Amino acid sequence: MTTLRTLHRATLATTLTAAVALLGACNRDTGTPAPEMPPVAAPATPAATDQAAPAAGAPSERAPAAITVGDVLLGTQAEGAGRVADPKTTFAPGDRTIVASVLTDAAAPANGTLRARWTYQDGQLVDETSQTLDTDGAGVTNFRIANQEDWPTGTYTVEISIDGEVAQTREFTVE
């Protein structure tokens, strides 16, 4: 009796495999090749489970999230949540420190390199620094330049880039 059940199950599995292969061949008139079907090893799972989340450790099919730069605030100090509290674009020669608060956001976990490139007048490099970000939401990253003597008067620029791509440029003056 056990041998008969085993033979019956094997025949049923073969019949199901053949039926699936024949149904797949029905797509030939649309020009779409029939999908390659794996061998039948177990009964098919209900359609509701087809949309289940990937198993832990399984690679994600989504593209990596990008970090975006929302705004760049300039001031002489960062307070509170780490951002410039009193933004301005004109500084005095005696302002010893100038801060750029870079507001960033990422819709999902992401990492990248944020860089600030400070220049004077016709592109003379004042300072260039970078910080590595590992974020999964809104954040603030501060960059500072300092001078123990008075800043030369003129026009300055801070260029903010993420992973080598310029995201924001802010011009400011020292008068």
Short mmCIF file of all heavy atoms in Angstrom, two decimals, residues 58-95:
data_model
loop_
_atom_site.label_atom_id
_atom_site.label_comp_id
_atom_site.label_asym_id
_atom_site.label_seq_id
_atom_site.Cartn_x
_atom_site.Cartn_y
_atom_site.Cartn_z
N ALA A 58 18.96 38.74 2.64
CA ALA A 58 18.78 38.67 1.19
C ALA A 58 19.08 40.02 0.59
O ALA A 58 18.78 41.04 1.18
CB ALA A 58 17.34 38.25 0.86
N PRO A 59 19.68 40.07 -0.59
CA PRO A 59 19.99 41.36 -1.20
C PRO A 59 18.72 42.11 -1.57
O PRO A 59 17.74 41.51 -2.00
CB PRO A 59 20.80 41.00 -2.44
CG PRO A 59 20.48 39.57 -2.72
CD PRO A 59 20.10 38.95 -1.40
N SER A 60 18.73 43.41 -1.40
CA SER A 60 17.59 44.25 -1.72
C SER A 60 17.56 44.52 -3.21
O SER A 60 18.59 44.68 -3.84
CB SER A 60 17.69 45.56 -0.94
OG SER A 60 16.69 46.44 -1.36
N GLU A 61 16.36 44.61 -3.79
CA GLU A 61 16.23 44.90 -5.20
C GLU A 61 16.16 46.40 -5.44
O GLU A 61 16.18 46.84 -6.58
CB GLU A 61 14.99 44.22 -5.75
CG GLU A 61 15.12 42.71 -5.77
CD GLU A 61 13.90 42.03 -6.36
OE1 GLU A 61 13.10 42.70 -7.05
OE2 GLU A 61 13.74 40.82 -6.14
N ARG A 62 16.05 47.23 -4.39
CA ARG A 62 15.97 48.67 -4.55
C ARG A 62 17.36 49.25 -4.77
O ARG A 62 18.34 48.75 -4.27
CB ARG A 62 15.37 49.32 -3.30
CG ARG A 62 13.91 48.96 -3.12
CD ARG A 62 13.34 49.68 -1.95
NE ARG A 62 14.03 49.24 -0.74
CZ ARG A 62 13.95 49.85 0.42
NH1 ARG A 62 13.24 50.93 0.55
NH2 ARG A 62 14.58 49.38 1.47
N ALA A 63 17.40 50.36 -5.49
CA ALA A 63 18.66 51.08 -5.69
C ALA A 63 19.06 51.74 -4.38
O ALA A 63 18.21 52.07 -3.56
CB ALA A 63 18.47 52.14 -6.76
N PRO A 64 20.35 51.93 -4.14
CA PRO A 64 20.77 52.56 -2.91
C PRO A 64 20.21 53.98 -2.80
O PRO A 64 20.08 54.68 -3.80
CB PRO A 64 22.30 52.59 -3.00
CG PRO A 64 22.64 52.12 -4.37
CD PRO A 64 21.42 51.59 -5.02
N ALA A 65 19.87 54.35 -1.59
CA ALA A 65 19.31 55.67 -1.35
C ALA A 65 20.37 56.74 -1.49
O ALA A 65 21.53 56.52 -1.15
CB ALA A 65 18.69 55.72 0.04
N ALA A 66 19.98 57.88 -1.98
CA ALA A 66 20.91 58.99 -2.14
C ALA A 66 20.73 59.97 -0.99
O ALA A 66 19.65 60.14 -0.45
CB ALA A 66 20.64 59.68 -3.47
N ILE A 67 21.82 60.65 -0.68
CA ILE A 67 21.78 61.72 0.30
C ILE A 67 21.61 63.01 -0.48
O ILE A 67 22.32 63.25 -1.46
CB ILE A 67 23.08 61.76 1.13
CG1 ILE A 67 23.25 60.45 1.90
CG2 ILE A 67 23.07 62.96 2.07
CD1 ILE A 67 24.59 60.32 2.59
N THR A 68 20.65 63.82 -0.08
CA THR A 68 20.43 65.09 -0.75
C THR A 68 20.82 66.23 0.17
O THR A 68 20.67 66.14 1.39
CB THR A 68 18.97 65.27 -1.19
OG1 THR A 68 18.13 65.17 -0.03
CG2 THR A 68 18.56 64.22 -2.20
N VAL A 69 21.32 67.30 -0.43
CA VAL A 69 21.66 68.52 0.32
C VAL A 69 20.50 69.48 0.14
O VAL A 69 20.18 69.86 -0.99
CB VAL A 69 22.98 69.13 -0.19
CG1 VAL A 69 23.25 70.47 0.48
CG2 VAL A 69 24.13 68.16 0.04
N GLY A 70 19.88 69.85 1.26
CA GLY A 70 18.73 70.74 1.20
C GLY A 70 19.09 72.20 1.22
O GLY A 70 18.62 72.98 0.40
N ASP A 71 19.95 72.61 2.12
CA ASP A 71 20.30 74.02 2.25
C ASP A 71 21.66 74.14 2.91
O ASP A 71 22.13 73.20 3.56
CB ASP A 71 19.25 74.76 3.08
CG ASP A 71 19.23 76.26 2.82
OD1 ASP A 71 20.01 76.74 1.96
OD2 ASP A 71 18.44 76.96 3.47
N VAL A 72 22.27 75.29 2.75
CA VAL A 72 23.54 75.60 3.38
C VAL A 72 23.36 76.94 4.07
O VAL A 72 23.04 77.95 3.42
CB VAL A 72 24.70 75.67 2.35
CG1 VAL A 72 26.00 76.06 3.04
CG2 VAL A 72 24.84 74.35 1.63
N LEU A 73 23.52 76.95 5.39
CA LEU A 73 23.37 78.17 6.19
C LEU A 73 24.74 78.63 6.66
O LEU A 73 25.51 77.83 7.20
CB LEU A 73 22.47 77.91 7.39
CG LEU A 73 21.09 77.30 7.09
CD1 LEU A 73 20.39 76.91 8.39
CD2 LEU A 73 20.25 78.26 6.29
N LEU A 74 25.05 79.91 6.48
CA LEU A 74 26.32 80.47 6.91
C LEU A 74 26.12 81.35 8.13
O LEU A 74 25.13 82.07 8.24
CB LEU A 74 26.95 81.29 5.78
CG LEU A 74 27.24 80.53 4.49
CD1 LEU A 74 27.67 81.50 3.41
CD2 LEU A 74 28.28 79.47 4.71
N GLY A 75 27.09 81.32 9.04
CA GLY A 75 27.03 82.15 10.23
C GLY A 75 28.36 82.08 10.96
O GLY A 75 29.33 81.52 10.46
N THR A 76 28.38 82.65 12.18
CA THR A 76 29.62 82.65 12.96
C THR A 76 29.66 81.56 14.01
O THR A 76 30.72 81.29 14.58
CB THR A 76 29.83 84.02 13.64
OG1 THR A 76 28.68 84.34 14.42
CG2 THR A 76 30.07 85.11 12.60
N GLN A 77 28.52 80.96 14.30
CA GLN A 77 28.51 79.84 15.25
C GLN A 77 27.28 78.97 15.05
O GLN A 77 26.26 79.43 14.59
CB GLN A 77 28.60 80.33 16.70
CG GLN A 77 27.48 81.25 17.13
CD GLN A 77 27.69 81.75 18.54
OE1 GLN A 77 28.27 81.06 19.37
NE2 GLN A 77 27.21 82.94 18.83
N ALA A 78 27.43 77.70 15.40
CA ALA A 78 26.32 76.73 15.32
C ALA A 78 25.85 76.46 16.73
O ALA A 78 26.65 76.25 17.64
CB ALA A 78 26.79 75.45 14.65
N GLU A 79 24.54 76.47 16.92
CA GLU A 79 23.96 76.25 18.26
C GLU A 79 22.82 75.24 18.19
O GLU A 79 22.42 74.83 17.11
CB GLU A 79 23.42 77.58 18.80
CG GLU A 79 24.49 78.63 19.02
CD GLU A 79 23.91 79.92 19.54
OE1 GLU A 79 22.72 79.97 19.87
OE2 GLU A 79 24.67 80.89 19.60
N GLY A 80 22.28 74.92 19.35
CA GLY A 80 21.09 74.07 19.43
C GLY A 80 21.29 72.73 18.76
O GLY A 80 22.11 71.93 19.18
N ALA A 81 20.53 72.48 17.69
CA ALA A 81 20.57 71.20 16.99
C ALA A 81 21.80 71.09 16.10
O ALA A 81 21.88 70.22 15.24
CB ALA A 81 19.30 71.03 16.15
N GLY A 82 22.77 71.97 16.29
CA GLY A 82 24.00 71.89 15.53
C GLY A 82 24.02 72.74 14.29
O GLY A 82 24.98 72.71 13.54
N ARG A 83 22.99 73.52 14.05
CA ARG A 83 22.96 74.34 12.85
C ARG A 83 23.14 75.81 13.19
O ARG A 83 22.93 76.22 14.32
CB ARG A 83 21.67 74.12 12.09
CG ARG A 83 20.44 74.57 12.84
CD ARG A 83 19.15 74.05 12.27
NE ARG A 83 18.80 74.71 11.04
CZ ARG A 83 17.73 74.42 10.33
NH1 ARG A 83 16.91 73.48 10.73
NH2 ARG A 83 17.46 75.06 9.23
N VAL A 84 23.53 76.58 12.19
CA VAL A 84 23.70 78.02 12.37
C VAL A 84 22.37 78.61 12.80
O VAL A 84 21.35 78.41 12.14
CB VAL A 84 24.21 78.67 11.06
CG1 VAL A 84 24.11 80.17 11.12
CG2 VAL A 84 25.63 78.23 10.77
N ALA A 85 22.39 79.33 13.93
CA ALA A 85 21.16 79.90 14.47
C ALA A 85 20.83 81.26 13.84
O ALA A 85 19.67 81.62 13.72
CB ALA A 85 21.28 80.06 15.98
N ASP A 86 21.85 82.01 13.43
CA ASP A 86 21.66 83.34 12.88
C ASP A 86 22.33 83.42 11.50
O ASP A 86 23.43 83.94 11.37
CB ASP A 86 22.25 84.38 13.85
CG ASP A 86 22.01 85.81 13.41
OD1 ASP A 86 21.05 86.05 12.65
OD2 ASP A 86 22.79 86.69 13.82
N PRO A 87 21.66 82.90 10.46
CA PRO A 87 22.28 82.87 9.13
C PRO A 87 22.54 84.27 8.57
O PRO A 87 21.76 85.19 8.78
CB PRO A 87 21.26 82.14 8.26
CG PRO A 87 20.30 81.50 9.18
CD PRO A 87 20.34 82.29 10.45
N LYS A 88 23.66 84.40 7.85
CA LYS A 88 23.97 85.66 7.18
C LYS A 88 24.92 85.39 6.03
O LYS A 88 25.50 84.30 5.91
CB LYS A 88 24.56 86.67 8.17
CG LYS A 88 25.80 86.22 8.89
CD LYS A 88 26.18 87.27 9.92
CE LYS A 88 27.40 86.91 10.72
NZ LYS A 88 27.77 87.98 11.63
N THR A 89 25.08 86.39 5.17
CA THR A 89 25.97 86.26 4.03
C THR A 89 27.04 87.35 4.01
O THR A 89 27.86 87.37 3.10
CB THR A 89 25.18 86.30 2.70
OG1 THR A 89 24.43 87.52 2.65
CG2 THR A 89 24.25 85.10 2.58
N THR A 90 27.03 88.24 5.00
CA THR A 90 28.05 89.28 5.12
C THR A 90 28.71 89.15 6.48
O THR A 90 28.03 89.10 7.51
CB THR A 90 27.42 90.68 4.96
OG1 THR A 90 26.76 90.74 3.70
CG2 THR A 90 28.50 91.76 5.01
N PHE A 91 30.05 89.11 6.47
CA PHE A 91 30.82 88.94 7.70
C PHE A 91 31.79 90.10 7.87
O PHE A 91 32.16 90.76 6.89
CB PHE A 91 31.58 87.61 7.66
CG PHE A 91 30.67 86.41 7.61
CD1 PHE A 91 30.20 85.94 6.40
CD2 PHE A 91 30.27 85.78 8.78
CE1 PHE A 91 29.35 84.85 6.33
CE2 PHE A 91 29.41 84.69 8.72
CZ PHE A 91 28.95 84.23 7.50
N ALA A 92 32.22 90.33 9.10
CA ALA A 92 33.20 91.36 9.41
C ALA A 92 34.60 90.75 9.33
O ALA A 92 34.76 89.54 9.59
CB ALA A 92 32.95 91.92 10.80
N PRO A 93 35.61 91.53 9.01
CA PRO A 93 36.97 91.00 8.96
C PRO A 93 37.40 90.35 10.29
O PRO A 93 38.17 89.39 10.29
CB PRO A 93 37.84 92.22 8.64
CG PRO A 93 36.92 93.16 7.93
CD PRO A 93 35.57 92.93 8.57
N GLY A 94 36.86 90.83 11.39
CA GLY A 94 37.22 90.31 12.71
C GLY A 94 36.44 89.06 13.14
O GLY A 94 36.71 88.52 14.22
N ASP A 95 35.49 88.60 12.34
CA ASP A 95 34.79 87.35 12.66
C ASP A 95 35.80 86.21 12.50
O ASP A 95 36.21 85.88 11.39
CB ASP A 95 33.59 87.12 11.74
CG ASP A 95 32.44 88.05 12.03
OD1 ASP A 95 32.32 88.54 13.16
OD2 ASP A 95 31.64 88.28 11.09
#
